[in-house]
Amino acid sequence: MQSRSEVTRQKILSSATRLFSLNGYDGTGVAEICEAAGVSKGAFYHHFPSKQDVFLNILNEWLDQLSSQMQAARLATHDVPEGLVAMSGLIDQVFQMSRNHYSLFFEFWIQAMRHPEIWQTAIAPYHRFQTWLAAILQSGINEGSVDPSVPPDDTSRILIAMVLGLLLQAFFDPNGAAWGDVTESGIKTLVTEFSRRSL
Amino acid sequence: MQSRSEVTRQKILSSATRLFSLNGYDGTGVAEICEAAGVSKGAFYHHFPSKQDVFLNILNEWLDQLSSQMQAARLATHDVPEGLVAMSGLIDQVFQMSRNHYSLFFEFWIQAMRHPEIWQTAIAPYHRFQTWLAAILQSGINEGSVDPSVPPDDTSRILIAMVLGLLLQAFFDPNGAAWGDVTESGIKTLVTEFSRRSL
């Protein structure tokens, strides 16, 4: 069972996610988050030093959740190239997120751009994710399933780019394509090339 | 020589670009644009029906400029796969844009998301660009340099995704990688696979 304190924390995070998505980060105050979550300002500041800290926690939890799901997909396959394709299958869930969540995603970039202190903190989970993906590619090289000429760091950036770039387009043109399928096809194209370069 | 009217129009567009980038779309009023450009409100409304129209004109001119440069790069090469790689070499210029211009790029997505009428108008140049790229892929299939199993529409989305996704990361982590090189390498990887599938 979750402790009462944890329940309060989650209530604050989910109300804030909804309000940031609806009204933007700048358009949402701590008072409104407290009202929507049904908690006192005292309780809010017990859990989070600032609105910015709430924002970064939302981002971190989202990335952690995504990388655990990806890790599970990866472990269910027998080599790295297959694992990467299975991971890309999860992206369809991300595409299914409401437009409201997309909004938060762009809001995050805008805030990171305007406020160096958000950027400093927010770049850490991005680096963590990118490094994690590079390590997976390195393990593919080690097991012989990924071509040894593939540079793990830049290649992880290329894989992340494919997904981010399709997310942007899917947001912009939701009915323009079967975005989940396009993502799987884009990732498969890259992975095929990464695994067969030496052939 | 540019007409006086065209000079006024360009002054409005460049002042607006700077102000939107600095203070955001919502944080910039027509009065401020007029003041920065040194033009009267009457002159402003002679050229543009609204602030939103200025915003869409900035976007359109930027995309037109990019596609003319890409067209020129494409025409200087002897087949479509080579042309696509040459086009990706231009992306480095986009990466060199100041953070201020990045800001406008995200602002554009946020605005399109919040205002359906901006979205309706803004999706047209995106579709135009995507269709143009799909036609290039189709001409590659026709000339025999691109594998006929490659679907031009989804493949154009995949190529756009690579560039957009690397732009996002380059903004976020400017010193993390040689982003121009990573883009060329990502596009090369895709193009190699698109041109050799049948081999």
Side-chain angles (χ1 to χ4, degrees):
Chain A
M1 206 185 109
Q2 282 185 309
S3 69
R4 202 172 138 199
S5 170
E6 181 53 26
V7 170
T8 303
R9 190 173 172 279
Q10 287 303 331
K11 267 194 208 160
I12 294 169
L13 289 173
S14 67
S15 297
T17 301
R18 197 162 44 79
L19 289 169
F20 288 155
S21 301
L22 275 173
N23 308 322
Y25 178 82
D26 289 327
T28 302
V30 169
E32 288 155 280
I33 298 172
C34 291
E35 201 192 318
V39 305
S40 68
K41 279 210 176 178
F44 179 96
Y45 287 111
H46 172 72
H47 288 281
F48 302 100
S50 63
K51 180 174 84 164
Q52 186 181 305
D53 193 63
V54 173
F55 190 71
L56 290 168
N57 267 280
I58 292 169
L59 175 74
N60 270 313
E61 295 203 353
W62 184 74
L63 274 176
D64 280 347
Q65 210 182 337
L66 194 65
S67 56
S68 317
Q69 289 174 333
M70 288 195 165
Q71 185 88 44
R74 151 93 189 88
L75 293 174
T77 53
H78 83 279
D79 71 13
V80 165
E82 261 187 32
L84 291 171
V85 173
M87 282 157 63
S88 77
L90 290 170
I91 299 302
D92 208 33
Q93 293 177 22
V94 181
F95 287 125
Q96 304 308 327
M97 291 193 316
S98 70
R99 288 206 146 218
N100 287 345
H101 282 83
Y102 274 120
S103 165
L104 194 65
F105 173 79
F106 292 104
E107 196 59 65
F108 155 69
W109 250 280
I110 295 257
Q111 293 308 321
M113 195 171 49
R114 297 216 173 121
H115 306 287
E117 71 281 11
I118 291 197
W119 179 78
Q120 285 291 349
T121 320
I123 201 169
Y126 161 74
H127 276 155
R128 198 152 38 91
F129 191 80
Q130 184 257 306
T131 306
W132 173 76
L133 201 55
I136 290 181
L137 287 161
Q138 185 58 56
S139 73
I141 295 173
N142 299 346
E143 77 187 11
S145 62
V146 173
D147 189 281
S149 77
V150 166
D153 270 317
D154 281 351
T155 304
S156 67
R157 295 180 179 110
I158 284 171
L159 289 164
I160 292 172
M162 176 67 68
V163 173
L164 276 179
L166 288 168
L167 267 173
L168 272 173
Q169 290 177 85
F171 149 68
F172 194 51
D173 190 17
N175 306 314
W179 293 107
D181 295 349
V182 178
T183 307
E184 224 173 308
S185 147
I187 295 290
K188 253 185 206 158
T189 304
L190 289 172
V191 166
T192 305
E193 190 56 30
F194 296 149
S195 45
R196 81 172 179 189
R197 254 183 206 176
S198 57
L199 298 184
Chain B
M1 205 185 112
Q2 283 185 310
S3 70
R4 203 174 136 198
S5 171
E6 181 54 26
V7 170
T8 303
R9 189 175 173 278
Q10 287 302 330
K11 267 195 210 160
I12 294 170
L13 288 173
S14 67
S15 297
T17 302
R18 197 164 43 79
L19 289 169
F20 289 155
S21 301
L22 276 173
N23 307 323
Y25 178 82
D26 289 327
T28 302
V30 169
E32 288 155 280
I33 297 171
C34 291
E35 201 192 318
V39 305
S40 68
K41 277 211 176 177
F44 179 96
Y45 287 111
H46 172 72
H47 288 279
F48 301 100
S50 63
K51 180 175 83 165
Q52 187 180 304
D53 193 63
V54 173
F55 191 70
L56 290 168
N57 267 279
I58 292 171
L59 175 73
N60 270 313
E61 295 203 355
W62 185 75
L63 273 175
D64 281 348
Q65 210 182 339
L66 195 64
S67 56
S68 317
Q69 288 174 333
M70 287 194 166
Q71 186 90 44
R74 151 94 189 87
L75 294 173
T77 53
H78 83 280
D79 70 13
V80 165
E82 260 187 32
L84 292 171
V85 173
M87 281 156 64
S88 77
L90 291 170
I91 299 301
D92 208 33
Q93 292 177 23
V94 181
F95 288 127
Q96 303 307 327
M97 291 193 316
S98 70
R99 287 205 147 219
N100 287 345
H101 282 85
Y102 274 120
S103 164
L104 195 65
F105 173 80
F106 293 104
E107 197 57 68
F108 155 69
W109 250 279
I110 295 257
Q111 293 308 320
M113 192 172 50
R114 297 216 173 121
H115 306 288
E117 71 282 10
I118 292 197
W119 179 80
Q120 284 291 350
T121 320
I123 201 170
Y126 162 73
H127 275 155
R128 196 153 40 91
F129 191 81
Q130 183 255 306
T131 306
W132 173 77
L133 202 54
I136 290 181
L137 287 161
Q138 183 59 54
S139 73
I141 294 173
N142 299 346
E143 77 186 12
S145 63
V146 173
D147 188 283
S149 76
V150 167
D153 270 317
D154 281 351
T155 305
S156 67
R157 295 181 179 111
I158 284 171
L159 289 163
I160 292 172
M162 176 67 69
V163 174
L164 276 180
L166 288 169
L167 267 174
L168 272 173
Q169 290 176 85
F171 149 67
F172 194 51
D173 190 18
N175 306 314
W179 293 107
D181 295 348
V182 178
T183 307
E184 225 173 306
S185 148
I187 296 291
K188 253 186 207 158
T189 303
L190 289 171
V191 166
T192 305
E193 190 57 30
F194 297 148
S195 48
R196 81 170 179 190
R197 254 185 206 174
S198 58
L199 299 183

